[in-house]
């Protein structure tokens, strides 16, 4: 006789966190999707993944050394002491059966060769932007335009930075009208969730009927 695990035993995971509906019912397969978080150096990609991940995020942060002097611009983020050298990874379950796997790309040009692998299989992307240095998100915008991956632009508003409306950001970045632009805060979970939902909607709207 086949052994079965009764539902009461499936009430929490190994960390004591309540299980999601799809985890309690083995006959329900969740829709698993992949979203890429890209943008310039120090724009908040690691912070975004950390703020929203329901698991301990995988981070590849390394201490910055003198070798980065003259290469990494710290003028807007002078307190930054680490940098992502491979990727950030996290997971969040939305709407019970929708699971998003988040992959944050490294921002520096010397790590762009990893982008093709990180983007493979993704349904969409978030391009994080900092209004103090908008030019740094152009490589990500060009990349997603060229490969045809649906994306949105999320302006991460830093304390002390000037606030601009969406129309001004769109004009500055020459983003097409069909691409959503959001003003958000990568430190706040609700703000990040709204951003990720916008990516999912953009991916659905961009999918062929």
């Amino acid at each position: 006789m086949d052994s079965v695990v009764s539902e009461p035993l499936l009430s929490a995971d190994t960390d004591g966190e309540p299980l999601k509906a799809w985890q309690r019912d083995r006959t329900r397969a969740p829709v698993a999707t992949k979203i890429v978080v890209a943008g310039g150096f120090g724009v908040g990609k690691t912070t975004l993944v950390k703020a929203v991940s329901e698991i301990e995020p995988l981070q590849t942060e390394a201490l910055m050394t003198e070798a980065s002097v003259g290469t990494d611009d710290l003028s807007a983020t002078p307190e930054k002491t680490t940098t992502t050298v491979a990727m950030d990874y996290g997971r969040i379950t939305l709407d019970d059966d929708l699971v998003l796997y988040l992959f944050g790309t490294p921002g520096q040009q010397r790590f762009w060769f990893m982008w093709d692998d990180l983007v493979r299989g993704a349904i969409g992307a978030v391009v994080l932007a900092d209004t103090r240095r908008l030019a740094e998100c152009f490589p990500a915008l060009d990349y997603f335009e060229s490969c045809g991956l649906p994306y949105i632009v999320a302006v991460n508003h830093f304390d002390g930075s000037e606030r601009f409306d969406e129309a001004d950001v769109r004009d500055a970045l020459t983003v097409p009208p069909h691409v959503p632009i959001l003003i958000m805060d990568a430190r706040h979970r609700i703000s990040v969730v709204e951003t990720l939902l916008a990516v999912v909607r953009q991916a659905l709207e961009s999918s062929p009927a």
Side-chain angles (χ1 to χ4, degrees):
M1 177 173 160
D2 295 336
S3 61
V4 272
V5 180
S6 60
E7 187 162 336
L9 294 178
L10 296 174
S11 59
D13 62 16
T14 55
D15 295 324
E17 292 293 326
L19 293 179
K20 311 298 181 184
W22 58 268
Q23 292 172 312
R24 294 193 302 271
D25 184 353
R26 299 305 186 186
T27 65
R28 298 172 63 176
V31 177
T33 59
K34 177 180 180 180
I35 289 177
V36 174
V37 183
F41 170 73
V43 78
K45 300 179 294 295
T46 299
T47 299
L48 183 151
V49 173
K50 185 176 180 180
V52 81
S53 181
E54 64 194 16
I55 61 173
E56 184 66 28
L58 169 65
Q59 298 176 332
T60 57
E61 293 278 287
L63 285 174
M64 300 179 65
T65 66
E66 292 182 358
S68 68
V69 175
T71 301
D72 298 327
D73 182 6
L74 294 175
S75 58
T77 54
E79 73 286 350
K80 188 171 178 61
T81 59
T82 62
T83 183
T84 299
V85 295
M87 68 174 184
D88 298 307
Y89 169 78
R91 185 192 75 196
I92 178 173
T93 302
L94 298 176
D95 222 8
D96 281 341
D97 294 339
L98 176 61
V99 182
L100 303 183
Y101 293 93
L102 309 178
F103 289 77
T105 67
Q108 300 97 315
Q109 182 176 356
R110 59 185 179 277
F111 297 127
W112 288 353
F113 69 90
M114 300 180 185
W115 284 21
D116 287 343
D117 289 331
L118 292 176
V119 166
R120 188 173 295 114
I123 65 164
V126 178
V127 177
L128 273 183
D130 179 352
T131 55
R132 298 169 298 179
R133 44 205 176 99
L134 282 177
E136 293 188 11
C137 67
F138 279 121
L141 294 174
D142 291 342
Y143 181 87
F144 296 128
E145 282 287 349
S146 64
C147 71
L149 186 70
Y151 70 93
I152 70 165
V153 175
V155 178
N156 187 18
H157 183 63
F158 287 81
D159 294 337
S161 63
E162 186 175 356
R163 198 176 186 93
F164 296 89
D165 61 31
E166 297 173 17
D168 291 335
V169 175
R170 186 180 301 278
D171 288 343
L173 295 177
T174 62
V175 174
H178 69 275
V179 175
I181 295 179
L182 287 73
I183 311 298
M184 53 88 71
D185 189 327
R187 300 169 298 181
H188 297 159
R189 178 180 175 85
I190 296 301
S191 184
V192 175
V193 169
E194 292 173 348
T195 299
L196 296 176
L197 287 173
V199 179
V200 174
R201 286 193 295 269
Q202 181 72 352
L204 289 173
E205 293 174 1
S206 302
S207 299

